[in-house]
Amino acid sequence: MKLSIAIAGKGGTGKTTFSALLVRALREKGIRPILAVDADPNSTLADALGVDEGRPLAEIREQGSSPEGSPASGVGRARAIEDEIHRAITEADGFDLVTMGRGEGPRCYCYVNNLLRLSLDTLGKSYDAMVLDNEAGMEHLSRRTTNDVDFLIAVSNPTLPSLRAVKRIMQLSRELPINIKHRMVLVNRVASDSPLEVVESQLGPVEAERLPDVPDDEIVERAGAVGQDVFALDDQNPALLAVRAIVDKLCVAET
Ligand SMILES: Nc1ncnc2c1ncn2[C@@H]1O[C@H](COP(=O)(O)OP(=O)(O)OP(=O)(O)O)[C@@H](O)[C@H]1O
Ligand SMILES: [Mg+2]
């Protein structure tokens, strides 16, 4: 895989919108096929991409771990789960979507969880890029669903609480045994009256590269509100233009 990108950040900062814009901008640049992974139990990435969300992987996990599910043990069970994962993929033009579904149940299905992670690693090899849209907060880092990635992009708004969340995410990502090649910060929804001095003062000590800001755009906001996908946005939409510039930066960083 050429590029694997995990998106993190505080709730409502625009992670899903940015993930979907990223898929569009990567595809336009000819970096395809792309695997979009919705790792948020309250998934909306399918809507943002205008595709069916398909069958969540969590269902496979639960079925795979039940006695009447797939074969009891060993290679047969692993293969059955891999087949299920392939069936759970929604295919679209230039990208596929896989949805993780809701989090851990009351019991721990470590074996099947690990298989799922491994299968996703294997699956990732068939793609030129992977975009992982995570749930808000830092759970995904400690649970290690965000594993080895080229880029961890923490999305913030120009607000103190979300900037502080970015700092915590970056800090935790350094403390955990996960491999991240590049840590980057994206300030989303920047308007002419945004308090940029707060952004500067908070992001100074983060030790992560700041990507070009994404402007606050009322068309993007409206699209999100009515459940319209990012492919319906005008070719010259300002937020999309910013995300194209970000894709160029990511490509340069990886060469
Ligand atoms: N650049 C932008 N300009 C205007 N509105 C935006 C922009 N980016 C995101 N939004 C809007 O902000 C809202 C939240 O966006 P989104 O759902 O992508 O956030 P999120 O971080 O994924 O949220 P959650 O934590 O709930 O998963 C949506 O209504 C979306 O349309
Ligand atoms: Mg989201």
Side-chain angles (χ1 to χ4, degrees):
M1 194 192 307
K2 283 187 194 143
L3 293 173
S4 56
I5 309 162
I7 313 299
K10 193 173 162 62
T13 48
K15 298 177 294 297
T16 300
T17 308
F18 174 63
S19 299
L21 286 168
L22 208 48
V23 169
R24 174 166 170 180
L26 286 164
R27 188 179 82 166
E28 283 172 359
K29 206 174 160 69
I31 302 173
R32 53 193 289 172
I34 303 153
L35 179 64
V37 182
D38 189 341
D40 183 351
N42 298 308
S43 347
T44 51
L45 186 59
D47 288 343
L49 289 169
V51 297
D52 194 79
E53 74 170 20
R55 185 180 170 209
L57 288 187
E59 278 181 24
I60 301 169
R61 178 177 60 203
E62 305 211 337
Q63 204 184 62
S65 60
S66 71
E68 67 282 3
S70 36
S73 62
V75 181
R77 189 182 183 198
R79 202 164 291 151
I81 292 173
E82 269 193 30
D83 286 349
E84 293 268 6
I85 290 172
H86 279 97
R87 273 199 291 275
I89 293 171
T90 301
E91 292 179 14
D93 179 15
F95 68 91
D96 291 351
L97 171 75
V98 70
T99 306
M100 301 291 265
R102 75 191 146 73
E104 318 280 313
R107 286 182 288 156
C108 172
Y109 304 133
C110 301
Y111 168 76
V112 189
N113 264 338
N114 286 339
L115 263 183
L116 278 174
R117 240 167 252 147
L118 276 177
S119 306
L120 271 183
D121 284 349
T122 320
L123 197 66
K125 293 198 174 73
S126 322
Y127 296 88
D128 277 5
M130 181 175 78
V131 176
L132 184 73
D133 177 24
N134 282 299
E135 64 188 308
M138 305 194 285
E139 268 287 289
H140 57 94
L141 283 175
S142 31
R143 273 199 277 114
R144 300 189 58 197
T145 36
T146 299
N147 224 335
D148 299 346
V149 289
D150 297 323
F151 296 93
L152 173 66
I153 302 181
V155 179
S156 182
N157 294 140
T159 62
L160 193 57
S162 62
L163 289 160
R164 284 192 174 141
V166 160
K167 286 207 280 193
R168 285 193 293 270
I169 286 166
M170 288 302 167
Q171 199 180 350
L172 183 63
S173 78
R174 287 175 206 281
E175 289 164 7
L176 294 171
I178 47 181
N179 291 319
I180 297 164
K181 278 201 224 159
H182 309 275
R183 289 174 175 77
M184 297 186 158
V185 179
L186 169 73
V187 188
N188 183 37
R189 308 200 67 168
V190 174
S192 53
D193 59 351
S194 292
L196 289 179
E197 65 286 359
V198 177
V199 178
E200 306 289 346
S201 68
Q202 291 300 309
L203 291 188
V206 162
E207 289 175 41
E209 188 178 335
R210 179 162 162 198
L211 288 165
D213 294 345
V214 174
D216 189 42
D217 183 82
E218 68 181 80
I219 310 279
V220 171
E221 183 173 29
R222 192 173 157 70
V226 300
Q228 202 176 46
D229 65 77
V230 295
F231 296 101
L233 292 174
D234 186 87
D235 182 61
Q236 293 302 307
N237 175 277
L240 176 61
L241 292 180
V243 177
R244 283 193 192 124
I246 288 169
V247 165
D248 289 342
K249 276 223 154 200
L250 301 184
C251 290
V252 170
E254 258 310 89
T255 49

